[in-house]
Amino acid sequence: MIQLDDEEQQGIELAKEGSTPDASKSTSRSRNEERHPLMKSGSNNNPSDTAGYLQRLMLDIDERVSVKLLMRVWGPRLELVVRLMLVATFLDDSIRMAMHFGEHVEQVGQGWCLKWLEAASPMAVSVVAGILLGMGLLAQSLGSICLLALLRPVAAIKALIGWAMVQPVLYAQLSNFEFMSETLSLIGGLLMLHVHLVNQEHRQHSSEVATSNTTTASPSPSSLAMTQLLGRLLLPAAYLYRAGLFFSSAFALDETTSLGAYLSSLSLFVINAAVLVALVASSTLVAAGLKSRAVALFLALANLGFVLVQHPFFRFVHRVEGKWEVDEDAIWMPSVALPKGVSPLDFGPWDIYDLHRYYFFLGLSTSGALLLLAQFGPGDIAMQKDEVLLPVVARARD
């Protein structure tokens, strides 16, 4: 049995008296849309509407359970899951850094960013690298925990963005385009979450002082809109990189005299070209803010499938006689920029496993960034800023 809220009960009572509670239903719809950004009320009278199928689907669900109540209960939990996905790479990286701090200090000390200090004092290189990595460890661990618990979340986001910008320099990964593109997408998600949390804090603070004579400093709407636009433009960076990979693969046809090999190569060309067009079109829609919520949801799910296939680190280890060992026959070297004089043969099985683990959680965080766009919308500077992801059918209840 579906429990009706006060507004819906009032509408039924007015309907029994012969009145039409248009104002009450309008107020109920507007409040529902404000509480749940994923949902928007609609009408099912026009079956030719593009959202007609979703409306009928939501109506079928609403007959069994109150969608309004469902979103009210699970909305905050869904937001927590998305935030957890977003900071997953920071949490995992902080754990690995704490467990192998000395190795990270040595790796950063061998990078080009501290080479100039090595000639003066080799000891100073280790000290500076240790200080920088210690600050990064605190920024990642404390920033992730504070963001999950919503304790000074704006400051936590700034700390995470700062580390995301410094990390590629310290680890000499500026030429690793896969890592850089996913880092840019991650920063874009953090910027969008920053705008959402700033607006949320301002609304809460304004409601607390509404009855007093004090005034609050309101954040500039234009600066917040530009920040959200920048974040949305950075989100598809990872997919533009993959589009470039498919572009290079699409035109890399091998010369052959075999008809079977030619048809196979041609089929691969068609597949790569189709994926290339899909990625470029999706990235353009996200950047422009046109159908961006639906496209971001699709890209997030597709990216989850991609990282599960490309970086399944959990499949590379197994226990042998009570100890964890890496399956060297199943593991492969991922794409990563290496310093000069270092080859993939210099990496041991556990080093390759750590790389896969890192890229897995980095991809998971990228999907979390896209889910933020699907949940909160593209912002004010967008071609379709009022896009609806889940229409909810408003219907009379007997």
Side-chain angles (χ1 to χ4, degrees):
M1 180 177 181
I2 301 177
Q3 183 178 1
L4 305 180
D5 57 20
D6 295 338
E7 294 171 350
E8 292 170 331
Q9 185 66 36
Q10 181 184 0
I12 295 176
E13 292 176 356
L14 290 174
K16 291 180 179 179
E17 295 174 1
S19 303
T20 303
D22 294 334
S24 176
K25 289 191 292 184
S26 176
T27 303
S28 176
R29 285 195 298 267
S30 61
R31 290 178 180 174
N32 184 47
E33 293 166 11
E34 182 179 356
R35 285 193 297 264
H36 312 301
L38 292 178
M39 301 160 53
K40 184 176 180 180
S41 299
S43 173
N44 198 34
N45 295 331
N46 185 9
S48 62
D49 188 3
T50 55
Y53 174 75
L54 281 178
Q55 291 174 354
R56 291 191 295 272
L57 177 61
M58 297 303 294
L59 177 59
D60 293 338
I61 296 176
D62 200 42
E63 289 177 350
R64 296 168 174 81
V65 62
S66 175
V67 177
K68 183 178 178 181
L69 179 60
L70 187 65
M71 292 302 299
R72 185 180 303 169
V73 173
W74 286 95
R77 300 179 185 180
L78 176 62
E79 185 176 342
L80 175 62
V81 171
V82 172
R83 291 202 311 271
L84 179 59
M85 292 177 61
L86 186 64
V87 301
T89 183
F90 296 109
L91 287 173
D92 175 71
D93 192 39
S94 63
I95 294 173
R96 291 188 302 107
M97 187 184 298
M99 295 178 62
H100 308 283
F101 191 79
E103 298 177 7
H104 284 264
V105 170
E106 183 179 358
Q107 182 179 355
V108 171
Q110 294 175 353
W112 55 266
C113 64
L114 295 180
K115 279 292 184 182
W116 59 273
L117 190 60
E118 185 177 5
S121 174
M123 181 64 66
V125 174
S126 299
V127 173
V128 173
I131 294 175
L132 293 176
L133 290 177
M135 295 174 59
L137 177 61
L138 292 176
Q140 290 190 99
S141 57
L142 295 181
S144 300
I145 294 173
C146 290
L147 186 56
L148 290 175
L150 293 181
L151 299 173
R152 302 185 65 86
V154 175
I157 289 178
K158 292 179 180 179
L160 293 177
I161 291 177
W163 174 251
M165 296 173 63
V166 172
Q167 186 183 26
V169 179
L170 290 180
Y171 287 88
Q173 293 294 309
L174 292 176
S175 58
N176 184 353
F177 297 110
E178 179 181 3
F179 175 80
M180 289 301 301
S181 62
E182 293 193 355
T183 300
L184 290 176
S185 296
L186 182 59
I187 293 176
L190 289 171
L191 289 174
M192 297 196 69
L193 182 59
H194 168 77
V195 174
H196 169 71
L197 292 176
V198 168
N199 288 329
Q200 190 178 55
E201 285 186 356
H202 176 67
R203 287 193 300 267
Q204 292 175 353
H205 189 59
S206 298
S207 62
E208 292 175 357
V209 300
T211 57
S212 64
N213 296 326
T214 58
T215 58
T216 59
S218 175
S220 173
S222 59
S223 62
L224 291 178
M226 291 299 298
T227 302
Q228 198 165 16
L229 173 63
L230 176 61
R232 198 180 71 241
L233 292 176
L234 291 176
L235 277 180
Y239 301 94
L240 289 176
Y241 164 78
R242 292 190 182 122
L245 293 181
F246 281 104
F247 178 80
S248 60
S249 300
F251 295 96
L253 295 177
D254 299 329
E255 295 184 1
T256 179
T257 57
S258 172
L259 179 60
Y262 173 76
L263 292 177
S264 176
S265 179
L266 183 61
S267 300
L268 186 60
F269 166 78
V270 173
I271 294 175
N272 288 333
V275 175
L276 170 64
V277 172
L279 288 176
V280 172
S282 300
S283 301
T284 303
L285 290 174
V286 168
L290 179 62
K291 298 294 183 184
S292 56
R293 301 180 77 175
V295 173
L297 178 60
F298 169 76
L299 288 177
L301 297 177
N303 188 68
L304 285 176
F306 177 81
V307 296
L308 285 172
V309 173
Q310 292 295 319
H311 306 291
F313 72 96
F314 42 84
R315 292 175 46 198
F316 299 148
V317 292
H318 55 275
R319 293 186 67 85
V320 176
E321 298 180 355
K323 295 191 303 181
W324 288 102
E325 293 187 1
V326 177
D327 188 355
E328 300 184 23
D329 296 331
I331 201 170
W332 62 86
M333 182 70 181
S335 173
V336 59
L338 301 177
K340 292 183 179 180
V342 179
S343 68
L345 298 178
D346 297 328
F347 284 78
W350 281 108
D351 297 326
I352 300 176
Y353 169 82
D354 284 339
L355 287 175
H356 277 287
R357 175 178 162 182
Y358 180 81
Y359 278 103
F360 174 86
F361 284 105
L362 184 60
L364 184 65
S365 295
T366 304
S367 293
L370 287 165
L371 289 177
L372 283 173
L373 173 58
Q375 185 175 11
F376 300 127
D380 293 333
I381 307 177
M383 295 182 64
Q384 193 179 10
K385 63 181 182 180
D386 296 327
E387 179 191 353
V388 179
L389 188 60
L390 292 178
V392 176
V393 179
R395 60 184 178 89
R397 299 176 185 265
D398 297 330

